[in-house]
Amino acid sequence: MKVLHICPLWFPIAADAPGGIETFLARLIGSLKELGCSSTLLAVEGSVVEGDVVPGFPVGVREKMTHGSATEYEYYQQHQVRMALDLAPQFDVIHSHVGVGAYILSGIPSIGERVLHTHHTPIYDDMIWHIERHPEMWLSMVSDFQARRLGYPPHCEVIPNGIDVSSFSFSAEPGEGLFFIGRIEHVKGPDLAVNVARTLG
């Protein structure tokens, strides 16, 4: 099976990427290879994956924004979706990881049934409104909570993000510290972790 992955353009895809989706994708591509799938990525050049990366994005949009050569992400994503349209006939599955920016692909008769959207972010009422009007879309949710919010549409499966637990060491003995993992922003709850740490001394 040949799979075209539409990846976020913030950072290159790698096992230790700054972004969570980018880190997840590196593992997913490796696992798909083990299953006999061939993967091609529309991703930032320099991505370290067991698949092919289509040239077109020499640096991540985050880096471009940092250096002042980009202001808005959406135009790069729309260019990427146009590239996906050109490449689609060569692939069995088009797997999008970029959210609403690629939803239009599901409405194109020649490829719509081969497009899968994995939704990595929270579900808001706007997405529910859209999915109610487009139940033909193929969706993969990373949690049952997401699927429940959408009302379990007909072409929706819950597939939690995988993790290779063998790559982490385990100790049954607790340590002295508290560990927080996630972006430092309100929705990730770093304030809760700080409050717990203060409460526990």
Side-chain angles (χ1 to χ4, degrees), residues 11-26:
F11 309 102
I13 307 301
D16 58 351
I21 299 172
E22 292 85 352
T23 301
F24 160 75
L25 280 171

Side-chain angles (χ1 to χ4, degrees), residues 34 39 80 100 124 133 152 194:
E34 291 173 11
S39 292
Q80 180 187 40
V100 69
Y124 297 108
R133 284 153 183 81
Y152 294 101
V194 169

Side-chain angles (χ1 to χ4, degrees), residues 3 11 32 37 45 52 74 103 105 108 135-136 141 151 156 165 182 187 193 198 201:
V3 184
F11 309 102
L32 287 173
C37 295
E45 290 178 29
D52 299 319
E74 291 79 7
Y103 281 5
L105 295 175
I108 298 172
E136 77 285 353
M141 298 288 120
C156 178
V165 294
V187 298
R198 285 181 174 157

Side-chain angles (χ1 to χ4, degrees), residues 113-132:
E113 291 189 353
R114 294 184 287 127
V115 179
L116 171 66
H117 301 275
T118 293
H119 196 79
H120 295 273
T121 55
I123 306 294
Y124 297 108
D125 290 344
D126 312 293
M127 182 180 179
I128 296 169
W129 180 91
H130 181 82
I131 298 302
E132 285 173 349

Side-chain angles (χ1 to χ4, degrees), residues 78 81 85 99-108 111-112 117 130 137:
Q78 287 304 300
V81 170
L85 273 172
V100 69
Y103 281 5
I104 192 66
L105 295 175
S106 291
I108 298 172
I111 64 169
H117 301 275
H130 181 82
M137 287 179 59

